[in-house]
Amino acid sequence: MWLFLVTEIMFFGGIFLAYMIYRNMYPDVFALGSHELPIKWGAINTVVLICSSFTMAMAVRAAQLGQKGQIFTWMVLTAILGLAFLGIKSIEYHDKWSHHLVPGAWFEWHGDMPAKGQVQMFFWIYFFMTGLHALHMIIGLGVLVALLPNVLRGRYGPEYHHPIECFGLYWHFVDIVWIFLFPLLYLLGRN
C-alpha cells in the first residue's frame, strides 16, 4: 500500500506542478477563475472529508480492538460522508455547467479581462484536479463497499485487520489531496 501511495503522490505531484506553473504564468487570470468557485461549498467539503478521516480512523481502531460491530458503523459513516462529498461536488459541477464554465466549445467568459483562453486553462486544471480526486473517492467508496461483507462476517479483528488499515491509508491520502486542492483552487488569489 505504501508503494502504491508513493506512486499516487508522484502522480498528483505532477498535476500540482502543472497547476503551479500555469498559476505563476497567469496569476491574475487564475485569481479570476478562483473567484468563480464558491468558497462555501469547498469549505463544507473540507469539513466533510475531515470528518470522514475521523470516521475511517475510528473504523481502523475498532478493527484493531476487535469491536466488530463498530467497524461496520464507522465504515458506513465514512461511506455516507464520501457520498456527501460527491453530492456537493456534483452541485458545483452543475453550477459550472449552467454558467458555461466547463472548458470546451461551449465555454463562455464575460469577465473583465479578455483572457478567455487563460481562464479556460484554469477551469481545465480545476476540472482535471477535482475530477481526478472525485474518481479516487468513487474508487475508495467501491473498495469500502467491497470490504463490508467481510466486516459483517466478522473477519477483521485484532489478529487480522490489515485490509481495513490499508484502506484507511488510501482514504486518508485522498482526504489529504483535498486539503491541498481546496486552498490552491478556492482560496489563493482572493482578497
Side-chain angles (χ1 to χ4, degrees), residues 53-76:
S53 270
F54 172 76
T55 58
M56 192 61 231
M58 293 304 292
V60 170
R61 185 70 179 144
Q64 292 168 340
L65 296 175
Q67 300 168 334
K68 297 179 184 193
Q70 292 294 313
I71 302 168
F72 181 81
T73 301
W74 289 115
M75 288 186 74
V76 167

Side-chain angles (χ1 to χ4, degrees), residues 92-105:
E92 280 191 71
Y93 281 4
H94 180 267
D95 181 60
K96 298 299 160 274
W97 178 267
S98 62
H99 289 98
H100 302 281
L101 294 175
V102 176

Side-chain angles (χ1 to χ4, degrees), residues 1 40 82 85 129 157 190:
M1 179 51 77
K40 174 184 79 170
F85 175 90
M129 292 175 95
R190 292 198 183 235

Side-chain angles (χ1 to χ4, degrees), residues 3-24:
L3 185 58
F4 171 73
L5 291 178
V6 167
T7 63
E8 288 289 290
I9 289 168
M10 290 189 297
F11 180 66
F12 274 100
I15 297 167
F16 281 110
L17 178 62
Y19 168 86
M20 290 188 298
I21 289 169
Y22 279 105
R23 180 159 192 90
N24 190 44

